[in-house]
């Protein structure tokens, strides 16, 4: 019985309100995960890049983070194009092909010489998806979306097509085995790039009795995980409602019913009156302007939420 009660969180009876904000966010290119070969050549720079990305997504499978599946027009390096260098500088210009029509474009940025470099200028190799910079002492590898993220000449808004959670003992996300994402990717892959925006959300609790997570009993890892899971379940439900709409097509009725029941249970267990979600991604560079088919693109989404009859009611507030 002691082992069982150890992970049942201790609760406060006083009403709560929450304020959730983005503590950290990372972008991954889902198309690379979905096309991941069974055996990657880890001696190849691109193979190491793909394996490292999968390891990062494997790591968040044990964490209660949220993710957005994003789509945007396809952009590729023009492997047949010409690479240009600035005079007496490390300013590099790479050729691009943008959109389904593969419109020619380019991107220019200044390189930083890594510590282990033995060459003054790297040897540049382009594939449609990657650029490798061979500095002699080491090789740097960047995907097209890494370069756009840091140096995009214009900010193309990303569209949220799916909201989900990373917590999954089977790590289906990192292996492209999540059924809902498999279907979305199959639908979009010919016309759009699909990205994953993985977000760690920080929840501050306003309660006369304090934050239940700070109670000594709830320091137990299992009890802490239950509380964190409850909070992410409610935030996920709110963001699904906001970005996907009241009855999103990828969600079946039985899934929506289970979510309504879960929302009611969590709201009652925490005596939650209201919660606010503040989505802002200052470190995402060119990918920080996000919208959906339901919501206009913006660099910040400030949402006021409450629960009524198992549904999360969401209204957008103007930022201060």
């Amino acid at each position: 019985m002691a082992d069982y009660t150890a992970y049942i969180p201790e609760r406060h009876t006083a009403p709560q309100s929450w304020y959730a904000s983005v503590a950290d966010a990372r972008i991954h290119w889902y198309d690379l995960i979905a096309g991941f070969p069974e055996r990657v050549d880890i001696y190849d720079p691109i193979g190491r890049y793909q394996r490292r990305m999968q390891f990062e997504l494997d790591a968040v499978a044990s964490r209660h983070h949220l993710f957005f599946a994003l789509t945007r027009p396809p952009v590729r390096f023009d492997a047949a194009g010409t690479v240009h260098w600035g005079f007496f500088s490390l300013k590099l210009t790479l050729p691009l092909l943008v959109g389904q029509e593969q419109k020619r474009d380019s991107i220019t940025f200044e390189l930083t010489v890594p510590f282990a470099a033995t060459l003054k200028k790297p040897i540049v190799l382009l594939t449609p998806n990657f650029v490798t910079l061979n500095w002699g002492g080491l090789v740097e590898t960047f995907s097209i979306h890494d370069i756009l993220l840091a140096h995009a000449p214009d900010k193309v808004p990303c569209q949220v097509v799916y909201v989900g959670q990373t917590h999954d003992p089977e790590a289906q996300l990192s292996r492209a085995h999540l059924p809902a994402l498999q279907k979305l990717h199959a639908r979009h892959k010919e016309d759009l790039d699909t990205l994953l925006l993985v977000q760690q959300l920080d929840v501050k609790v306003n309660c006369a009795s304090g934050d239940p997570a700070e109670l000594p009993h709830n320091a137990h890892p299992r009890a802490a995980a239950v509380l964190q899971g409850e909070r992410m379940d409610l935030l996920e439900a709110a963001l699904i409602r906001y970005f996907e709409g009241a009855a999103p097509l990828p969600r079946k009725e039985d899934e929506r019913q289970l979510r309504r029941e879960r929302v009611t249970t969590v709201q009652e267990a925490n005596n939650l009156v209201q919660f606010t979600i503040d989505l802002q991604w200052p470190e995402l560079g060119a990918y920080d302007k996000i919208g959906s088919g339901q919501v206009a693109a913006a660099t910040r989404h400030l949402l006021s939420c409450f629960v009524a009859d198992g549904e999360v009611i969401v209204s957008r507030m103007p930022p201060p």
Side-chain angles (χ1 to χ4, degrees):
M1 181 60 70
D3 289 341
Y4 176 74
T5 58
Y7 63 87
I8 298 178
E10 187 176 340
R11 306 283 185 178
H12 288 319
T13 57
Q16 296 181 24
S17 64
W18 300 345
Y19 188 94
S21 58
V22 179
D24 192 15
R26 303 290 177 90
I27 284 276
H28 301 278
W29 190 2
Y30 182 77
D31 295 310
L32 300 181
I33 295 292
F36 197 75
E38 290 186 6
R39 293 186 178 181
V40 173
D41 182 4
I42 61 172
Y43 298 102
D44 175 70
I46 293 176
R48 287 197 297 272
Y49 179 101
Q50 291 178 294
R51 177 61 74 186
R52 184 172 64 251
M53 182 171 60
Q54 190 178 48
F55 283 164
E56 289 180 5
L57 287 173
D58 275 337
V60 298
S62 63
R63 308 295 297 276
H64 288 278
H65 295 337
L66 298 185
F67 73 85
F68 294 161
L70 308 172
T71 57
R72 60 162 292 164
V75 185
R76 299 291 181 269
F77 292 119
D78 183 359
T82 304
V83 173
H84 295 284
W85 290 99
F87 289 107
F88 309 111
S89 74
L90 285 175
K91 187 170 287 187
L92 177 62
T93 300
L94 300 178
L96 303 178
L97 299 172
V98 181
Q100 292 177 287
E101 67 279 8
Q102 295 197 320
K103 179 182 176 182
R104 293 186 182 276
D105 201 345
S106 64
I107 186 168
T108 301
F109 55 97
E110 188 85 22
L111 293 180
T112 300
V113 180
F115 179 78
T118 58
L119 300 176
K120 293 183 178 179
K121 283 187 178 180
I123 300 169
V124 180
L125 178 63
L126 287 180
T127 71
N129 293 339
F130 292 95
V131 57
T132 57
L133 306 174
N134 188 337
W135 292 91
L138 82 162
V139 178
E140 293 183 310
T141 305
F142 303 98
S143 75
I144 175 62
H145 288 292
D146 292 333
I147 299 299
L148 291 175
L149 190 65
H151 311 289
D154 50 18
K155 299 188 177 185
V156 180
C158 293
Q159 294 285 309
V160 178
V161 293
Y162 187 83
V163 179
Q165 291 194 47
T166 62
H167 186 260
D168 175 16
E170 297 179 4
Q172 295 181 89
L173 185 64
S174 63
R175 291 165 173 76
H177 292 165
L178 197 63
L181 270 190
Q182 285 180 320
K183 293 177 182 177
L184 284 169
H185 184 253
R187 185 187 311 160
H188 295 299
K189 67 179 180 179
E190 300 298 329
D191 307 316
L192 299 166
D193 288 347
T194 302
L195 311 170
L196 294 176
L197 171 55
V198 179
Q199 303 164 89
Q200 177 185 353
L201 296 184
D202 178 38
V203 179
K204 290 182 170 57
V205 176
N206 184 13
C207 177
S209 304
D211 185 350
E214 296 175 355
L215 293 171
H217 174 83
N218 294 337
H220 190 286
R222 292 186 180 181
V226 170
L227 282 179
Q228 182 70 1
E230 289 179 351
R231 294 172 183 183
M232 291 307 109
D233 285 346
L234 219 52
L235 299 183
E236 178 194 24
L239 293 173
I240 289 172
R241 180 67 177 260
Y242 179 67
F243 283 110
E244 298 185 34
L249 290 176
R251 316 283 181 173
K252 295 181 180 179
E253 178 54 35
D254 56 347
E255 177 190 346
R256 294 201 289 266
Q257 179 58 34
L258 285 174
R259 181 167 291 107
R260 284 191 288 267
E261 294 171 2
R262 175 63 171 165
V263 162
T264 300
T265 300
V266 172
Q267 186 270 333
E268 292 177 350
N270 292 274
N271 198 4
L272 183 64
V273 176
Q274 182 271 346
F275 60 102
T276 300
I277 304 176
D278 189 355
L279 296 181
Q280 193 173 24
W281 310 273
E283 301 299 324
L284 286 188
Y287 286 45
D288 66 352
K289 194 172 185 180
I290 293 172
S292 73
Q294 308 289 324
V295 177
T299 56
R300 186 180 186 185
H301 299 265
L302 188 60
L303 313 177
S304 177
C305 316
F306 66 92
V307 175
D309 298 325
E311 299 287 354
V312 182
I313 309 303
V314 182
S315 59
R316 187 170 180 174
M317 299 186 294

